[in-house]
Amino acid sequence: MAMKCLSSLPLLSPSGSRKARAVVRTHPANSAAAYRRIRTHMSVATGGEQALTAQEEFQEPDYGVVSIHHVGILCENLERSIAFYQDILGLKVNLARPNDKLPYRGAWLWVGSEMIHLMELPNPDPLTGRPEHGGRDRHTCVAIKDVLKLKEIFDKAGISYTLSKSGRPAIFARDPDGNALEFTQV
């Protein structure tokens, strides 16, 4: 199986007699794997005639990765968050998911065939000092059809946002609890 080398970095060469290189390799794109895996292989030459090489073969996960099922998002006020995700973003609550089985309040919202799980729990993350641009923070990305239409919705609702810094069609905003959301046009 051919591997594509992405980068090669010298790690140490204190006196020129010992050298180490790290090679980052990735699984081929035409693989049947659900996710690309990145493996780091290090070959260490100790000088002289003795060389040590550590290599790890890439193996497909045998437990059957299919997709991301849901993303958990913490919120302080469930009703306020549902209003944002339902009324502004147009997501539908999944009424089939139980709300009484967990020791906290929550709601499940459909995002295509996956879901967002809103959980009314204390947020351990600081709410201040977060980057203005959500692309530089932990974020959930939702694929959408029209970034400009969502921009109009945000403008009308008075929701702050930033556009993708790379120029691609994407918009970043925060929910009422400061969770960063990316919406990328596909």
Side-chain angles (χ1 to χ4, degrees), residues 79-168:
E79 288 74 20
R80 179 182 69 186
S81 292
I82 289 174
F84 173 80
Y85 285 91
Q86 226 179 355
D87 300 343
I88 303 293
L89 298 181
L91 303 183
K92 305 292 183 217
V93 174
N94 180 353
L95 299 174
R97 296 294 300 187
N99 289 325
D100 58 351
K101 304 280 186 207
L102 298 172
Y104 52 85
R105 293 177 0 111
W108 298 81
L109 299 117
W110 285 111
V111 181
S113 61
E114 288 76 31
M115 292 173 281
I116 289 177
H117 183 197
L118 295 176
M119 301 176 289
E120 190 176 77
L121 291 167
N123 191 342
D125 293 331
L127 297 178
T128 58
R130 305 300 284 264
E132 180 185 351
H133 181 61
R136 295 182 178 259
D137 199 359
R138 287 181 300 277
H139 61 278
T140 299
C141 182
V142 177
I144 63 172
K145 294 179 182 175
D146 194 334
V147 166
L148 293 178
K149 283 185 182 176
L150 183 59
K151 182 180 174 295
E152 290 173 8
I153 291 169
F154 285 166
D155 286 339
K156 186 176 178 181
I159 295 172
S160 297
Y161 59 83
T162 57
L163 299 176
S164 173
K165 303 293 185 189
S166 69
R168 64 189 170 83

Side-chain angles (χ1 to χ4, degrees), residues 44 70 74 104-105 137 170 182:
V44 179
H70 71 273
L74 301 179
Y104 52 85
R105 293 177 0 111
D137 199 359
E182 175 183 357

Side-chain angles (χ1 to χ4, degrees), residues 6-63:
L6 296 179
S7 67
S8 181
L9 305 171
L11 292 180
L12 53 110
S13 181
S15 65
S17 63
R18 290 176 22 169
K19 292 183 181 179
R21 299 187 77 71
V23 179
V24 178
R25 299 173 188 256
T26 185
H27 199 271
N30 61 357
S31 161
Y35 299 99
R36 292 187 182 136
R37 299 271 181 136
I38 296 176
R39 300 285 191 205
T40 302
H41 298 272
M42 295 180 66
S43 298
V44 179
T46 59
E49 295 177 17
Q50 187 178 16
L52 302 174
T53 301
Q55 293 184 353
E56 179 183 0
E57 289 291 325
F58 178 85
Q59 295 195 4
E60 304 282 332
D62 62 358
Y63 54 90

